[in-house]
Amino acid sequence: MISVVIPTYQEAESIQLALRRAANALGRFGEEFELIVVDDASGDGTAELAESLQNELPVRVLRRAGKRGLATAVVEGWAMARGDVLGVMDGDLQHPPEVLAALAEAMRRTQADLVVASRYCSGGGARDWPWRRRLVSAAATHLAATVLPLRLSRTTDPMSGMFLVRARALDGLKFSPLGYKILLEVVAKGKIERSAEVPYQFAERERGSSKLGPPQIVEYLVHLARLALSTGQARAWARYALVGATGAAVNLAALYALAVRFRWPLALAAGAAIEAALLTNFFGNHWLTFSRRASGGLGPQLARYEMVCAPGAVLNLVLTIGSFRAGLPLLVAAAIGIVADGLVNLTLNIPAIWRIWGSPLP
Ligand code: GDD
Ligand code: MN
């Protein structure tokens, strides 16, 4: 049985259509299902409208006393669910309910524990989104993958609010949901061995208004930090930082030795020193951060690592040489290059670097 939770806060204008379309889609898929509306005292008749469909459709309604947040609504809905497959979908029709059938179909076909409706895999998207919203969404997604690369390298849209997950993958799990993004908890803590994705178009909101504002953004950041601490990600981060610091030391020491002791031309010495640091980082991470988890052999892994890190390395080289020519002491010039290199990798490349060692989407 598939149990889909639909959290609502003031969705009177869309809830009935959302329920009808969801029931239609799942009905055609053929498996038994239930729709669980979790309403937070909307006061606009959302709960009553959902209840009025109860003798027509397999709908249940949980009314909560105050507005207590999207993620906790989902968890409470799942707690009363009867299905062995749990799901979630927005109640405002921005998630086309028909995608539920595609998710169920993908779960049956791939035997995945988790199937996510994604805007960011091929075929997905968010039509009509203003560029500002696109930017915020892309930044939030990238930030999540940067803070939690250990687990989030598995899905292209960890922000998605529409997905199906097998109940057994969440068995005995202690959720501490905060704010909006329940999928973060599921991916970070769930026993997900195999996951899949289905593309979808995030529709424009036609009625009502989004409940996403600055308080939700702060909650989101706190949520990410908390997940990093509770999933072992923080430990992986500490190792990664230690390796990075070692690489920086190797860079400086090698540059000094080659340029000053052996009197190599600066460009050659700096290039060799940066490459020595890259190799230090690669093997350091291989053994320490990722405890030798191989995926596709060391050679190809190193090649991918060099490719991902190349832009930062080139920047490092240019800044080192430029700063030295501008009159700075050699090691200060090198430090400027190293810091810039590190920042580029930290802000842009963490998900890609982690993916070199992490399990790719099965
Ligand atoms: N019960 C309850 N309590 N429901 C809530 C609450 C709450 O405090 N806040 C929001 N909801 C409900 C809304 O009524 C809607 O059905 C759903 O949760 C999503 O809320 P929106 O406010 O419409 O969200 P959005 O469109 O800005 O954001 C969506 O962004 C994602 C894309 O990254 C998220 O809701 C995701 O589900 C979506 O995939
Ligand atoms: Mn919405």
Side-chain angles (χ1 to χ4, degrees), residues 11 90-95 133 180 202-203 205 209-211:
E11 305 291 2
D90 287 358
D92 58 3
L93 293 173
Q94 289 194 280
H95 292 155
R133 178 97 205 246
Y180 250 53
F202 193 75
R205 184 183 254 279
S209 60
S210 168
K211 284 92 199 171

Side-chain angles (χ1 to χ4, degrees), residues 208-243:
S209 60
S210 168
K211 284 92 199 171
L212 186 63
Q216 282 72 32
I217 293 173
V218 173
E219 271 176 355
Y220 174 65
L221 298 178
V222 173
H223 193 190
L224 282 185
R226 228 166 55 179
L227 282 175
L229 288 173
S230 67
T231 59
Q233 177 69 60
R235 229 173 316 126
W237 263 116
R239 295 194 183 125
Y240 186 78
L242 184 69
V243 170

Side-chain angles (χ1 to χ4, degrees), residues 7-11 38-40 64 67-70 73 90-92 94-95 119 129 133 137 157 159-162 180-181 200 202 205 209-212:
T8 57
Y9 183 69
Q10 300 184 340
E11 305 291 2
V38 181
D39 185 70
D40 278 5
R64 303 200 300 174
K67 186 171 179 336
R68 300 220 306 274
L70 173 47
D90 287 358
D92 58 3
Q94 289 194 280
H95 292 155
R119 292 163 296 171
W129 259 20
R133 178 97 205 246
S137 171
D157 194 355
M159 305 288 111
S160 177
M162 180 163 44
Y180 250 53
K181 300 304 179 182
Y200 86 103
F202 193 75
R205 184 183 254 279
S209 60
S210 168
K211 284 92 199 171
L212 186 63

Side-chain angles (χ1 to χ4, degrees), residues 10-17 44 46 49 91 93 206-208:
Q10 300 184 340
E11 305 291 2
E13 288 173 284
S14 53
I15 186 62
Q16 289 201 322
L17 188 55
D44 67 346
T46 303
L49 285 164
L93 293 173
E206 286 176 12
R207 308 155 222 216

Side-chain angles (χ1 to χ4, degrees), residues 8-41:
T8 57
Y9 183 69
Q10 300 184 340
E11 305 291 2
E13 288 173 284
S14 53
I15 186 62
Q16 289 201 322
L17 188 55
L19 289 170
R20 283 187 201 284
R21 281 172 57 183
N24 234 316
L26 288 170
R28 253 178 295 130
F29 177 69
E31 206 167 305
E32 216 190 332
F33 70 92
E34 61 178 353
L35 304 171
I36 302 173
V37 175
V38 181
D39 185 70
D40 278 5

